[in-house]
Amino acid sequence: LHGTNSTIKYSPDYYLPTINDPDLFEFSKEVAGMVSKEGYMRDIVPTMGGEDFSFIADAVPSTFFMIGQGTGGDE
């Protein structure tokens, strides 16, 4: 119709899941809790969001935190 072409490449498993190293996670959670206003880190419900950090975590023991997330209120 408009003289253009396109190609769609679908890769169903392109992004690996981001998985925290269990030992490093526990250590990092303690350290991060020391600088938290609450004195601890809250666990969150796992999400299905894609994250390119997963490729690093697959190669090197890693841990992924969401820092500064929230409403800014007291909750």
Side-chain angles (χ1 to χ4, degrees), residues 4-75:
T4 62
N5 294 318
S6 66
T7 301
I8 297 173
K9 183 177 179 182
Y10 176 70
S11 300
D13 295 320
Y14 187 72
Y15 277 86
L16 304 170
T18 303
I19 300 173
N20 288 330
D21 177 81
D23 296 330
L24 186 56
F25 175 75
E26 288 304 318
F27 169 76
S28 300
K29 191 174 175 180
E30 263 187 55
V31 173
M34 291 182 207
V35 297
S36 169
K37 178 174 112 176
E38 298 162 333
Y40 64 94
M41 295 297 295
R42 288 187 247 168
D43 289 331
I44 63 168
V45 176
T47 68
M48 293 296 291
E51 177 56 54
D52 56 0
F53 182 77
S54 62
F55 294 102
I56 295 171
D58 187 52
V60 179
S62 303
T63 188
F64 186 87
F65 286 89
M66 293 186 175
I67 299 174
Q69 300 293 318
T71 63
D74 292 332
E75 63 279 344

